[in-house]
Amino acid sequence: DEMDRLAEKISQRLAETAEEKKLLTLLKDYRLLKRLFALELTGDDYEIVTERKEELDPGNMIKRFLELNGAKRVRDIRFSHLEEVESLFEKALEFYRGARARDVNMLQNIETHLRANSAKKAIVITGGFHAAPFQEFFLSRGYHYALISPKLTSVDEGGHAAYLESILQSRETLQGSY
């Protein structure tokens, strides 16, 4: 987060004209969409995407790019397969809506299990996307918790492929698993 804030401050300081600032915003939005399509959003990223869904829609992103290139500084890119890209955009959003719904179910199951077993302690392992909702839940209920986050410096292709394969399992496989 600190690096992101610093990069944002530097970018804003270097961008002087309105056009440069629009270009920076477009680049930042492109990177956000890239993370969305790779299913690598954080919870904060997802909130931004849902708040700015229309603006981040691939068709609107293309319009924004073409408007910025009105002076023809770069060769116009021909955008094809827009329908398929917009369909993927909606499917990625649906995936994240499902992840948020799973948060609610998982948290209810944790509390039910703790009460049913009169448990005083539990270990819960989730992915980073779920960290904030779990933290809010534990704090609001007065539970003590520790959040451990590994520092990932790179994701090798094998690990990334295994991750995607595991989260994109068919709905039949996932039913009843949380």
Side-chain angles (χ1 to χ4, degrees):
D1 286 342
E2 184 178 350
M3 287 177 52
D4 289 340
R5 284 191 305 272
L6 182 59
E8 180 71 21
K9 284 182 180 181
I10 291 169
S11 296
Q12 292 303 321
R13 175 74 49 97
L14 293 175
E16 296 175 352
T17 68
E19 186 177 19
E20 289 171 343
K21 290 178 182 184
K22 283 182 183 178
L23 186 58
L24 275 177
T25 301
L26 186 60
L27 178 60
K28 188 176 176 181
D29 290 350
Y30 163 76
R31 289 178 178 154
L32 185 60
L33 276 184
K34 189 174 177 183
R35 289 193 306 277
L36 171 72
F37 287 128
L39 301 179
E40 295 174 347
L41 291 183
T42 65
D44 290 343
D45 289 340
Y46 176 69
E47 295 304 319
I48 292 168
V49 171
T50 56
E51 289 169 8
R52 298 181 54 224
K53 181 183 175 206
E54 189 170 326
E55 189 177 4
L56 294 169
D57 177 85
N60 288 331
M61 289 285 292
I62 290 169
K63 287 176 189 171
R64 290 169 56 201
F65 173 80
L66 293 173
E67 286 171 8
L68 270 176
N69 197 32
K72 303 293 182 197
R73 289 186 172 177
V74 295
R75 185 185 70 201
D76 274 336
I77 297 172
R78 202 175 125 248
F79 295 96
S80 57
H81 307 292
L82 183 57
E83 275 186 36
E84 291 92 343
V85 173
E86 289 193 333
S87 174
L88 288 173
F89 178 74
E90 289 301 325
K91 287 178 182 178
L93 290 175
E94 182 181 332
F95 168 80
Y96 282 105
R97 283 190 294 272
R100 283 293 188 227
R102 285 190 302 279
D103 284 345
V104 172
N105 290 327
M106 288 187 290
L107 291 167
Q108 287 173 348
N109 286 342
I110 290 167
E111 192 157 50
T112 299
H113 182 76
L114 288 171
R115 287 186 179 158
N117 296 301
S118 299
K120 302 276 186 213
K121 298 176 185 175
I123 295 174
V124 179
I125 300 172
T126 69
F129 182 79
H130 305 284
F134 276 65
Q135 181 179 14
E136 290 168 16
F137 173 82
F138 293 137
L139 285 173
S140 71
R141 301 278 196 299
Y143 293 121
H144 298 283
Y145 71 95
L147 174 63
I148 301 170
S149 297
K151 180 180 179 185
L152 300 176
T153 55
S154 69
V155 178
D156 67 1
E157 283 302 313
H160 190 258
Y163 165 74
L164 286 177
E165 183 178 326
S166 71
I167 62 173
L168 294 175
Q169 296 176 43
S170 68
R171 290 178 194 236
E172 296 81 34
T173 304
L174 290 175
Q175 286 182 348
S177 65
Y178 51 86

